[in-house]
Coordinates of all heavy atoms in Angstrom, one line a residue:
M1383 N 3.9 11.0 15.5 CA 4.9 10.0 15.0 C 4.8 8.7 15.8 O 4.8 7.6 15.1 CB 6.3 10.6 15.2 CG 7.3 9.8 14.6 SD 7.2 9.6 12.8 CE 8.8 9.3 12.4
I1384 N 4.6 8.7 17.1 CA 4.5 7.5 17.9 C 3.2 6.8 17.5 O 3.2 5.6 17.4 CB 4.6 7.8 19.4 CG1 6.0 8.2 19.7 CG2 4.2 6.6 20.2 CD1 6.2 8.7 21.1
Y1385 N 2.1 7.6 17.3 CA 0.8 7.0 16.9 C 1.0 6.2 15.6 O 0.5 5.1 15.5 CB -0.2 8.1 16.8 CG -1.5 7.6 16.3 CD1 -2.4 6.9 17.1 CD2 -1.9 7.8 15.0 CE1 -3.6 6.4 16.6 CE2 -3.1 7.3 14.5 CZ -3.9 6.6 15.3 OH -5.1 6.2 14.8
N1386 N 1.6 6.8 14.6 CA 1.8 6.1 13.3 C 2.6 4.9 13.5 O 2.3 3.8 12.9 CB 2.5 7.1 12.3 CG 1.6 8.1 11.8 OD1 0.4 8.0 11.8 ND2 2.2 9.1 11.2
L1387 N 3.6 4.9 14.3 CA 4.5 3.7 14.6 C 3.6 2.6 15.2 O 3.7 1.4 14.8 CB 5.7 4.0 15.5 CG 6.6 2.9 15.8 CD1 7.2 2.3 14.5 CD2 7.7 3.4 16.7
L1388 N 2.8 3.0 16.2 CA 1.9 2.0 16.9 C 0.9 1.4 15.9 O 0.6 0.2 15.9 CB 1.2 2.6 18.1 CG 2.1 2.9 19.3 CD1 1.4 3.7 20.3 CD2 2.7 1.7 19.9
L1389 N 0.3 2.3 15.1 CA -0.7 1.8 14.1 C 0.0 0.9 13.1 O -0.6 -0.1 12.7 CB -1.3 3.0 13.4 CG -2.5 2.7 12.5 CD1 -3.6 2.0 13.3 CD2 -3.0 3.9 11.8
L1390 N 1.2 1.2 12.6 CA 1.9 0.3 11.7 C 2.2 -1.0 12.3 O 2.1 -2.0 11.7 CB 3.1 1.0 11.2 CG 3.0 1.9 9.9 CD1 4.3 2.6 9.6 CD2 2.4 1.1 8.8
T1391 N 2.6 -1.0 13.6 CA 2.9 -2.2 14.3 C 1.6 -3.1 14.4 O 1.6 -4.3 14.1 CB 3.5 -2.0 15.7 OG1 4.6 -1.2 15.5 CG2 3.8 -3.2 16.4
A1392 N 0.5 -2.4 14.7 CA -0.8 -3.2 14.8 C -1.2 -3.7 13.4 O -1.7 -4.8 13.3 CB -1.8 -2.3 15.4
F1393 N -0.9 -2.8 12.4 CA -1.3 -3.2 11.0 C -0.5 -4.5 10.6 O -1.1 -5.4 10.1 CB -1.0 -2.1 10.1 CG -0.8 -2.5 8.7 CD1 -1.9 -2.8 7.9 CD2 0.5 -2.6 8.1 CE1 -1.7 -3.2 6.6 CE2 0.7 -3.0 6.8 CZ -0.5 -3.3 6.0
I1394 N 0.8 -4.5 10.9 CA 1.6 -5.6 10.5 C 1.1 -6.9 11.2 O 1.0 -7.9 10.6 CB 3.1 -5.4 10.8 CG1 3.6 -4.3 9.8 CG2 3.9 -6.6 10.6 CD1 4.9 -3.7 10.1
A1395 N 0.8 -6.8 12.5 CA 0.3 -7.9 13.2 C -1.1 -8.4 12.6 O -1.3 -9.6 12.5 CB 0.1 -7.6 14.7
A1396 N -1.9 -7.5 12.3 CA -3.2 -7.8 11.8 C -3.1 -8.4 10.4 O -3.8 -9.4 10.1 CB -4.1 -6.6 11.7
T1397 N -2.3 -7.9 9.6 CA -2.1 -8.4 8.2 C -1.5 -9.8 8.2 O -1.9 -10.6 7.4 CB -1.3 -7.4 7.3 OG1 -0.1 -7.2 7.9 CG2 -2.1 -6.2 7.0
A1398 N -0.6 -10.0 9.1 CA 0.0 -11.3 9.2 C -1.1 -12.4 9.5 O -1.0 -13.5 9.0 CB 1.1 -11.3 10.3
A1399 N -2.1 -12.0 10.2 CA -3.2 -12.9 10.6 C -4.3 -13.0 9.5 O -5.0 -14.0 9.4 CB -3.8 -12.5 11.9
T1400 N -4.4 -12.0 8.6 CA -5.5 -11.9 7.7 C -5.2 -12.0 6.2 O -6.1 -12.2 5.4 CB -6.3 -10.6 7.9 OG1 -5.5 -9.5 7.7 CG2 -6.9 -10.5 9.3
I1401 N -3.9 -11.8 5.9 CA -3.6 -11.8 4.5 C -2.6 -12.9 4.2 O -1.7 -13.2 4.9 CB -2.9 -10.4 4.1 CG1 -4.0 -9.3 4.3 CG2 -2.4 -10.5 2.7 CD1 -3.4 -8.0 4.0
T1402 N -2.8 -13.6 3.1 CA -1.8 -14.6 2.6 C -0.6 -13.9 2.0 O -0.8 -13.2 1.0 CB -2.5 -15.5 1.6 OG1 -3.6 -16.1 2.2 CG2 -1.5 -16.6 1.2
W1403 N 0.5 -14.1 2.5 CA 1.7 -13.4 2.1 C 2.3 -14.0 0.8 O 3.0 -13.3 0.1 CB 2.7 -13.3 3.2 CG 2.3 -12.4 4.3 CD1 1.8 -12.8 5.5 CD2 2.2 -11.0 4.3 NE1 1.5 -11.7 6.2 CE2 1.7 -10.6 5.5 CE3 2.5 -10.0 3.3 CZ2 1.5 -9.3 5.8 CZ3 2.3 -8.7 3.7 CH2 1.8 -8.3 4.9
N1404 N 2.2 -15.3 0.6 CA 2.9 -15.9 -0.5 C 4.4 -15.6 -0.4 O 5.0 -15.5 -1.5 CB 2.3 -15.5 -1.8 CG 0.9 -15.9 -2.0 OD1 0.5 -17.0 -1.5 ND2 0.1 -15.1 -2.6
G1405 N 5.0 -15.5 0.8 CA 6.4 -15.3 0.9 C 6.9 -14.0 0.4 O 8.1 -13.8 0.3
N1406 N 6.0 -13.0 0.2 CA 6.5 -11.7 -0.3 C 6.2 -10.6 0.7 O 5.2 -9.9 0.5 CB 5.8 -11.4 -1.7 CG 6.4 -10.2 -2.4 OD1 7.3 -9.6 -1.9 ND2 5.9 -9.9 -3.5
D1407 N 7.1 -10.4 1.6 CA 6.9 -9.3 2.6 C 7.6 -8.0 2.0 O 7.7 -7.0 2.7 CB 7.4 -9.6 4.0 CG 8.7 -10.3 4.0 OD1 9.3 -10.6 3.0 OD2 9.2 -10.4 5.2
E1408 N 8.1 -8.0 0.8 CA 8.6 -6.8 0.2 C 7.5 -5.8 0.1 O 7.8 -4.6 0.2 CB 9.2 -7.2 -1.2 CG 9.7 -6.0 -2.0 CD 10.1 -6.4 -3.4 OE1 10.3 -7.5 -3.7 OE2 10.2 -5.4 -4.2
H1409 N 6.3 -6.3 -0.2 CA 5.2 -5.3 -0.3 C 4.9 -4.6 1.1 O 4.5 -3.5 1.1 CB 3.9 -6.1 -0.7 CG 4.0 -6.5 -2.1 ND1 3.4 -7.7 -2.5 CD2 4.5 -6.0 -3.2 CE1 3.6 -7.9 -3.8 NE2 4.3 -6.8 -4.3
V1410 N 5.2 -5.3 2.2 CA 5.0 -4.7 3.5 C 6.0 -3.5 3.6 O 5.6 -2.4 4.0 CB 5.2 -5.7 4.6 CG1 5.1 -5.0 6.0 CG2 4.1 -6.7 4.6
V1411 N 7.2 -3.8 3.3 CA 8.3 -2.8 3.3 C 7.9 -1.6 2.4 O 8.0 -0.4 2.8 CB 9.7 -3.3 3.0 CG1 10.7 -2.2 2.9 CG2 10.1 -4.4 4.0
M1412 N 7.5 -1.9 1.2 CA 7.1 -0.8 0.3 C 5.9 0.0 0.8 O 5.9 1.2 0.6 CB 6.7 -1.4 -1.1 CG 7.9 -2.0 -1.8 SD 7.5 -2.9 -3.4 CE 7.1 -1.5 -4.4
F1413 N 5.0 -0.7 1.4 CA 3.8 0.0 2.0 C 4.2 0.9 3.2 O 3.8 2.0 3.3 CB 2.8 -1.0 2.5 CG 1.5 -0.4 2.9 CD1 0.7 0.3 2.0 CD2 1.1 -0.4 4.3 CE1 -0.5 0.9 2.5 CE2 -0.1 0.1 4.7 CZ -0.9 0.8 3.8
E1414 N 5.1 0.4 4.0 CA 5.6 1.2 5.1 C 6.3 2.5 4.6 O 6.2 3.6 5.1 CB 6.6 0.4 6.0 CG 5.9 -0.6 6.8 CD 6.9 -1.6 7.5 OE1 8.1 -1.6 7.2 OE2 6.4 -2.3 8.4
Q1415 N 7.1 2.3 3.5 CA 7.8 3.4 2.9 C 6.8 4.4 2.3 O 7.0 5.6 2.4 CB 8.8 3.0 1.8 CG 10.0 2.2 2.4 CD 10.8 1.5 1.4 OE1 10.4 1.3 0.2 NE2 12.0 1.1 1.8
F1416 N 5.8 3.9 1.6 CA 4.7 4.7 1.1 C 4.0 5.5 2.1 O 3.8 6.7 2.0 CB 3.7 3.8 0.4 CG 2.4 4.4 0.0 CD1 2.2 5.2 -1.1 CD2 1.3 4.2 0.9 CE1 1.0 5.8 -1.4 CE2 0.1 4.8 0.6 CZ -0.1 5.6 -0.5
V1417 N 3.6 4.9 3.2 CA 2.9 5.5 4.3 C 3.8 6.7 4.9 O 3.3 7.8 5.1 CB 2.6 4.5 5.5 CG1 2.1 5.3 6.7 CG2 1.5 3.6 5.0
D1418 N 5.1 6.4 5.0 CA 6.0 7.4 5.6 C 6.2 8.5 4.6 O 6.1 9.7 5.0 CB 7.4 6.7 5.8 CG 8.1 7.3 6.9 OD1 7.5 7.9 7.9 OD2 9.4 7.3 6.9
K1419 N 6.5 8.2 3.3 CA 6.7 9.2 2.3 C 5.6 10.2 2.1 O 5.8 11.4 2.0 CB 7.1 8.6 1.0 CG 7.4 9.6 -0.1 CD 7.8 8.9 -1.4 CE 8.1 9.9 -2.5 NZ 8.5 9.2 -3.8
F1420 N 4.4 9.6 2.1 CA 3.2 10.4 1.8 C 2.4 10.8 3.0 O 1.3 11.3 2.9 CB 2.3 9.7 0.7 CG 3.0 9.6 -0.6 CD1 3.4 8.4 -1.0 CD2 3.2 10.7 -1.4 CE1 4.1 8.2 -2.3 CE2 3.8 10.6 -2.6 CZ 4.3 9.4 -3.1
D1421 N 3.0 10.5 4.2 CA 2.4 10.9 5.5 C 1.0 10.5 5.6 O 0.1 11.2 6.0 CB 2.5 12.4 5.7 CG 2.3 12.8 7.2 OD1 2.6 12.0 8.1 OD2 1.8 13.9 7.4
R1422 N 0.7 9.2 5.2 CA -0.6 8.6 5.2 C -1.0 8.4 6.7 O -0.2 7.9 7.5 CB -0.7 7.4 4.4 CG -0.4 7.6 3.0 CD -1.2 8.5 2.2 NE -2.5 7.9 1.9 CZ -3.5 8.5 1.4 NH1 -3.4 9.8 1.0 NH2 -4.6 7.9 1.1
K1423 N -2.3 8.6 7.0 CA -2.8 8.4 8.4 C -4.0 7.5 8.2 O -5.0 7.9 7.6 CB -3.1 9.7 9.1 CG -1.9 10.7 9.1 CD -1.6 11.1 10.5 CE -0.6 12.1 10.6 NZ 0.7 11.9 9.9
Y1424 N -4.0 6.4 8.9 CA -5.2 5.5 8.9 C -5.7 5.5 10.4 O -5.0 5.4 11.3 CB -4.8 4.1 8.5 CG -4.2 4.1 7.1 CD1 -2.9 3.7 6.9 CD2 -4.8 4.6 6.0 CE1 -2.3 3.7 5.7 CE2 -4.2 4.6 4.7 CZ -2.9 4.2 4.6 OH -2.3 4.2 3.4
H1425 N -7.0 5.5 10.5 CA -7.6 5.7 11.8 C -7.8 4.4 12.6 O -8.0 4.3 13.8 CB -8.9 6.5 11.7 CG -8.7 7.8 11.2 ND1 -8.1 8.8 11.8 CD2 -9.0 8.3 9.9 CE1 -8.0 9.9 11.1 NE2 -8.6 9.6 9.9
T1426 N -7.9 3.3 11.8 CA -8.0 2.0 12.4 C -7.1 1.0 11.7 O -6.7 1.2 10.6 CB -9.5 1.5 12.3 OG1 -9.8 1.3 10.9 CG2 -10.5 2.4 12.9
V1427 N -6.9 -0.1 12.4 CA -6.1 -1.2 11.8 C -6.9 -1.8 10.6 O -6.3 -2.1 9.6 CB -5.9 -2.3 12.8 CG1 -5.2 -3.5 12.2 CG2 -5.0 -1.8 14.0
E1428 N -8.2 -1.9 10.7 CA -9.0 -2.4 9.6 C -8.8 -1.5 8.3 O -8.7 -2.0 7.2 CB -10.5 -2.5 9.9 CG -10.8 -3.5 11.0 CD -10.5 -3.1 12.4 OE1 -10.2 -1.9 12.7 OE2 -10.4 -4.0 13.3
E1429 N -8.8 -0.2 8.5 CA -8.6 0.7 7.4 C -7.2 0.5 6.8 O -7.0 0.5 5.6 CB -8.8 2.2 7.8 CG -8.5 3.2 6.7 CD -8.6 4.6 7.1 OE1 -8.6 4.9 8.3 OE2 -8.6 5.5 6.2
A1430 N -6.2 0.4 7.7 CA -4.8 0.2 7.2 C -4.7 -1.1 6.4 O -4.1 -1.2 5.4 CB -3.8 0.1 8.4
V1431 N -5.4 -2.2 6.9 CA -5.4 -3.5 6.2 C -6.0 -3.3 4.8 O -5.5 -3.8 3.8 CB -6.1 -4.6 7.0 CG1 -6.3 -5.8 6.2 CG2 -5.3 -4.9 8.2
E1432 N -7.1 -2.6 4.7 CA -7.8 -2.4 3.5 C -7.0 -1.6 2.5 O -6.9 -1.9 1.3 CB -9.2 -1.7 3.7 CG -10.2 -1.9 2.7 CD -10.5 -3.3 2.4 OE1 -10.6 -4.2 3.2 OE2 -10.6 -3.6 1.2
R1433 N -6.3 -0.5 3.0 CA -5.4 0.3 2.2 C -4.2 -0.5 1.7 O -3.8 -0.3 0.5 CB -5.0 1.5 2.9 CG -6.1 2.5 3.3 CD -6.8 3.0 2.0 NE -7.9 3.8 2.3 CZ -8.7 4.3 1.3 NH1 -8.5 4.1 0.1 NH2 -9.7 5.1 1.7
F1434 N -3.7 -1.4 2.5 CA -2.6 -2.3 2.1 C -3.1 -3.2 1.0 O -2.3 -3.4 0.0 CB -2.1 -3.1 3.3 CG -1.0 -4.1 2.9 CD1 0.2 -3.6 2.5 CD2 -1.2 -5.4 2.9 CE1 1.2 -4.5 2.1 CE2 -0.2 -6.3 2.6 CZ 1.0 -5.8 2.2
K1435 N -4.3 -3.7 1.0 CA -4.8 -4.6 0.0 C -4.9 -3.8 -1.3 O -4.5 -4.3 -2.4 CB -6.2 -5.1 0.3 CG -6.2 -6.2 1.4 CD -7.6 -6.7 1.7 CE -7.6 -7.6 2.9 NZ -9.0 -8.0 3.2
N1436 N -5.4 -2.5 -1.2 CA -5.5 -1.7 -2.4 C -4.1 -1.4 -3.0 O -3.9 -1.4 -4.2 CB -6.1 -0.3 -2.1 CG -7.6 -0.4 -1.6 OD1 -8.2 -1.4 -1.9 ND2 -8.0 0.6 -1.0
F1437 N -3.1 -1.1 -2.1 CA -1.8 -0.9 -2.5 C -1.2 -2.0 -3.2 O -0.6 -1.9 -4.3 CB -0.9 -0.6 -1.2 CG 0.5 -0.2 -1.5 CD1 0.9 1.1 -1.8 CD2 1.5 -1.2 -1.3 CE1 2.2 1.4 -2.0 CE2 2.8 -0.9 -1.5 CZ 3.2 0.4 -1.9
K1438 N -1.4 -3.3 -2.7 CA -0.8 -4.5 -3.4 C -1.5 -4.6 -4.8 O -0.8 -5.0 -5.7 CB -1.1 -5.7 -2.5 CG -0.1 -5.9 -1.4 CD -0.3 -7.1 -0.6 CE -0.4 -8.4 -1.4 NZ -0.5 -9.6 -0.6
H1439 N -2.8 -4.4 -4.8 CA -3.5 -4.6 -6.1 C -3.0 -3.5 -7.1 O -2.7 -3.9 -8.3 CB -5.0 -4.3 -5.9 CG -5.8 -4.3 -7.2 ND1 -6.1 -5.4 -7.9 CD2 -6.3 -3.2 -7.9 CE1 -6.7 -5.0 -9.0 NE2 -6.9 -3.7 -9.0
N1440 N -2.8 -2.3 -6.7 CA -2.3 -1.3 -7.6 C -0.8 -1.5 -8.0 O -0.4 -1.2 -9.1 CB -2.5 0.1 -6.9 CG -3.9 0.5 -6.9 OD1 -4.7 0.1 -7.7 ND2 -4.3 1.3 -5.9
L1441 N 0.0 -2.1 -7.1 CA 1.4 -2.4 -7.4 C 1.4 -3.4 -8.6 O 2.2 -3.3 -9.5 CB 2.1 -3.0 -6.2 CG 2.7 -2.0 -5.3 CD1 3.4 -2.8 -4.1 CD2 3.7 -1.1 -5.9
K1442 N 0.5 -4.4 -8.5 CA 0.4 -5.4 -9.5 C 0.0 -4.8 -10.9 O 0.6 -5.1 -11.9 CB -0.7 -6.5 -9.1 CG -0.8 -7.6 -10.1 CD -1.8 -8.7 -9.6 CE -1.9 -9.8 -10.6 NZ -2.8 -10.8 -10.2
T1443 N -0.9 -3.9 -10.8 CA -1.3 -3.1 -12.0 C -0.2 -2.4 -12.6 O 0.1 -2.4 -13.8 CB -2.5 -2.2 -11.7 OG1 -3.6 -3.0 -11.2 CG2 -3.0 -1.4 -12.9
I1444 N 0.6 -1.7 -11.7 CA 1.7 -0.9 -12.2 C 2.8 -1.8 -12.8 O 3.3 -1.5 -13.9 CB 2.4 -0.1 -11.0 CG1 1.4 1.0 -10.5 CG2 3.8 0.4 -11.3 CD1 1.8 1.6 -9.2
E1445 N 3.1 -2.9 -12.2 CA 4.1 -3.9 -12.7 C 3.6 -4.5 -14.0 O 4.5 -4.6 -14.9 CB 4.3 -5.0 -11.7 CG 5.1 -4.5 -10.4 CD 5.1 -5.5 -9.3 OE1 4.4 -6.6 -9.4 OE2 5.7 -5.2 -8.2
Q1446 N 2.4 -4.8 -14.2 CA 1.9 -5.3 -15.4 C 2.0 -4.3 -16.5 O 2.4 -4.6 -17.7 CB 0.4 -5.8 -15.3 CG 0.3 -7.1 -14.5 CD -1.2 -7.5 -14.3 OE1 -2.1 -6.7 -14.4 NE2 -1.4 -8.7 -13.9
Y1447 N 1.6 -3.1 -16.3 CA 1.6 -2.0 -17.3 C 3.1 -1.8 -17.7 O 3.4 -1.7 -18.9 CB 1.0 -0.7 -16.8 CG 1.1 0.4 -17.8 CD1 0.1 0.5 -18.8 CD2 2.1 1.2 -17.9 CE1 0.1 1.4 -19.8 CE2 2.2 2.2 -18.8 CZ 1.2 2.3 -19.8 OH 1.3 3.2 -20.8
N1448 N 4.0 -1.7 -16.7 CA 5.4 -1.4 -17.0 C 6.1 -2.5 -17.7 O 7.2 -2.2 -18.3 CB 6.1 -1.0 -15.7 CG 5.7 0.4 -15.2 OD1 5.0 1.1 -15.8 ND2 6.0 0.6 -13.9
S1449 N 5.6 -3.7 -17.7 CA 6.2 -4.8 -18.4 C 5.9 -4.7 -19.9 O 6.5 -5.4 -20.7 CB 5.7 -6.1 -17.9 OG 4.4 -6.4 -18.2
G1450 N 5.0 -3.9 -20.3 CA 4.7 -3.7 -21.7 C 5.6 -2.7 -22.4 O 6.5 -2.1 -21.8
N1451 N 5.4 -2.5 -23.7 CA 6.2 -1.6 -24.5 C 5.5 -0.3 -24.6 O 4.7 -0.1 -25.5 CB 6.5 -2.2 -25.8 CG 7.5 -1.4 -26.6 OD1 8.2 -0.5 -26.1 ND2 7.5 -1.6 -27.9
H1452 N 5.7 0.6 -23.6 CA 5.0 1.9 -23.6 C 6.0 3.1 -23.6 O 7.2 2.9 -23.3 CB 4.1 2.0 -22.4 CG 3.1 0.9 -22.3 ND1 2.0 0.9 -23.0 CD2 3.1 -0.2 -21.5 CE1 1.3 -0.2 -22.7 NE2 2.0 -0.9 -21.7
T1453 N 5.5 4.3 -23.9 CA 6.4 5.4 -23.9 C 6.7 6.0 -22.6 O 7.5 6.9 -22.4 CB 5.9 6.5 -24.9 OG1 4.6 6.9 -24.4 CG2 5.8 6.0 -26.3
F1454 N 5.9 5.5 -21.6 CA 6.1 6.0 -20.2 C 5.9 4.9 -19.2 O 5.3 3.8 -19.6 CB 5.2 7.2 -19.9 CG 3.7 6.9 -19.9 CD1 3.1 6.5 -18.7 CD2 3.0 6.9 -21.1 CE1 1.8 6.2 -18.7 CE2 1.7 6.6 -21.1 CZ 1.0 6.3 -19.9
T1455 N 6.3 5.1 -18.0 CA 6.1 4.0 -17.0 C 5.2 4.6 -15.8 O 5.2 5.8 -15.6 CB 7.4 3.5 -16.4 OG1 8.1 4.6 -15.8 CG2 8.2 2.8 -17.4
L1456 N 4.6 3.7 -15.1 CA 3.8 4.1 -13.9 C 4.6 3.9 -12.7 O 5.6 3.1 -12.7 CB 2.5 3.2 -13.9 CG 1.6 3.3 -15.0 CD1 0.4 2.4 -14.8 CD2 1.1 4.7 -15.3
G1457 N 4.3 4.5 -11.6 CA 5.0 4.4 -10.4 C 4.1 4.6 -9.2 O 2.9 4.9 -9.3
V1458 N 4.7 4.4 -8.0 CA 3.9 4.6 -6.8 C 3.8 6.1 -6.5 O 4.8 6.9 -6.6 CB 4.7 4.0 -5.6 CG1 4.0 4.3 -4.3 CG2 4.7 2.5 -5.8
T1459 N 2.5 6.6 -6.3 CA 2.2 8.0 -6.0 C 1.4 8.0 -4.8 O 1.1 7.0 -4.2 CB 1.4 8.6 -7.2 OG1 0.1 8.0 -7.2 CG2 2.1 8.5 -8.5
K1460 N 1.0 9.2 -4.4 CA 0.1 9.4 -3.2 C -1.3 8.7 -3.4 O -2.0 8.6 -2.4 CB 0.0 10.9 -2.9 CG -0.8 11.7 -3.9 CD -0.9 13.1 -3.5 CE -1.7 13.9 -4.5 NZ -1.8 15.3 -4.1
F1461 N -1.6 8.3 -4.6 CA -2.9 7.6 -4.8 C -2.8 6.1 -4.8 O -3.8 5.4 -5.0 CB -3.4 8.1 -6.2 CG -3.5 9.6 -6.3 CD1 -2.6 10.3 -7.2 CD2 -4.4 10.3 -5.6 CE1 -2.7 11.6 -7.3 CE2 -4.5 11.7 -5.7 CZ -3.6 12.4 -6.5
T1462 N -1.7 5.5 -4.6 CA -1.5 4.1 -4.7 C -2.3 3.2 -3.7 O -2.5 2.1 -4.0 CB 0.0 3.7 -4.7 OG1 0.7 4.5 -5.7 CG2 0.2 2.3 -5.1
D1463 N -2.8 3.8 -2.6 CA -3.6 3.0 -1.7 C -5.1 3.2 -1.9 O -5.9 2.7 -1.1 CB -3.2 3.4 -0.2 CG -3.6 4.8 0.2 OD1 -3.7 5.7 -0.7 OD2 -3.7 5.1 1.4
L1464 N -5.5 3.9 -3.0 CA -6.9 4.2 -3.2 C -7.4 3.1 -4.2 O -6.7 2.5 -4.9 CB -7.0 5.5 -3.8 CG -6.5 6.7 -3.0 CD1 -6.8 8.0 -3.8 CD2 -7.2 6.8 -1.7
T1465 N -8.8 3.0 -4.1 CA -9.4 2.1 -5.1 C -9.6 2.8 -6.4 O -9.4 4.0 -6.5 CB -10.8 1.7 -4.6 OG1 -11.6 2.8 -4.5 CG2 -10.8 1.0 -3.2
K1466 N -9.9 2.1 -7.5 CA -10.1 2.7 -8.8 C -11.3 3.7 -8.7 O -11.2 4.8 -9.3 CB -10.4 1.6 -9.8 CG -10.4 2.1 -11.2 CD -10.5 0.9 -12.2 CE -10.3 1.4 -13.6 NZ -10.3 0.3 -14.5
K1467 N -12.3 3.4 -7.9 CA -13.5 4.3 -7.8 C -13.1 5.6 -7.1 O -13.5 6.7 -7.5 CB -14.6 3.6 -7.0 CG -15.8 4.4 -6.9 CD -16.9 3.6 -6.2 CE -18.2 4.4 -6.2 NZ -19.3 3.6 -5.5
E1468 N -12.2 5.5 -6.1 CA -11.8 6.7 -5.4 C -10.9 7.6 -6.2 O -10.9 8.7 -6.1 CB -11.0 6.3 -4.1 CG -11.8 5.6 -3.0 CD -11.0 5.1 -1.9 OE1 -10.0 4.5 -2.1 OE2 -11.4 5.4 -0.7

C-alpha cells in the first residue's frame, strides 16, 4: 500500500512536468480512483505516465461515444489504461 502511494506521488510529480494539463486535473483524480479500484500496479514512473496517457485517451473515446445516440453507454473498466492493441 505504501509502495503504491509513493509511486502515485512520483507519478503525479512526473506528469506535472511532462504532460500538458490544460487546466483539467479531474483526470488525475479519476486515474487515482481507477488505480485504487482495480488495484493497478505500475513498476516505474514512466510506465505510470504512459498508462495515464492511455487512460486519458480512452476517457476521451468513452465521452465521445456516450455523447451519441446509442442503446448503451461505455464506462471506465479495468481495461481503461490499455492501448487499443493491448
Side-chain angles (χ1 to χ4, degrees):
M1383 182 68 155
I1384 292 175
Y1385 174 77
N1386 283 343
L1387 181 59
L1388 290 173
L1389 187 60
L1390 272 175
T1391 302
F1393 159 75
I1394 291 168
T1397 54
T1400 60
I1401 296 175
T1402 303
W1403 289 106
N1404 296 326
N1406 189 358
D1407 49 349
E1408 176 185 342
H1409 290 142
V1410 174
V1411 172
M1412 291 174 72
F1413 185 67
E1414 290 171 345
Q1415 292 169 344
F1416 164 82
V1417 167
D1418 209 32
K1419 179 177 181 177
F1420 295 106
D1421 196 30
R1422 302 299 284 177
K1423 305 235 185 312
Y1424 306 117
H1425 301 289
T1426 65
V1427 172
E1428 292 78 15
E1429 180 185 9
V1431 169
E1432 205 51 44
R1433 294 300 177 183
F1434 178 67
K1435 288 178 185 177
N1436 295 341
F1437 182 82
K1438 279 180 52 175
H1439 172 77
N1440 290 331
L1441 278 180
K1442 184 177 179 180
T1443 301
I1444 290 167
E1445 290 167 358
Q1446 286 175 342
Y1447 181 85
N1448 288 346
S1449 68
N1451 186 19
H1452 304 284
T1453 58
F1454 64 93
T1455 58
L1456 301 179
V1458 174
T1459 69
K1460 65 181 180 179
F1461 305 111
T1462 308
D1463 67 340
L1464 303 179
T1465 65
K1466 191 172 188 175
K1467 185 176 181 180
E1468 291 174 313

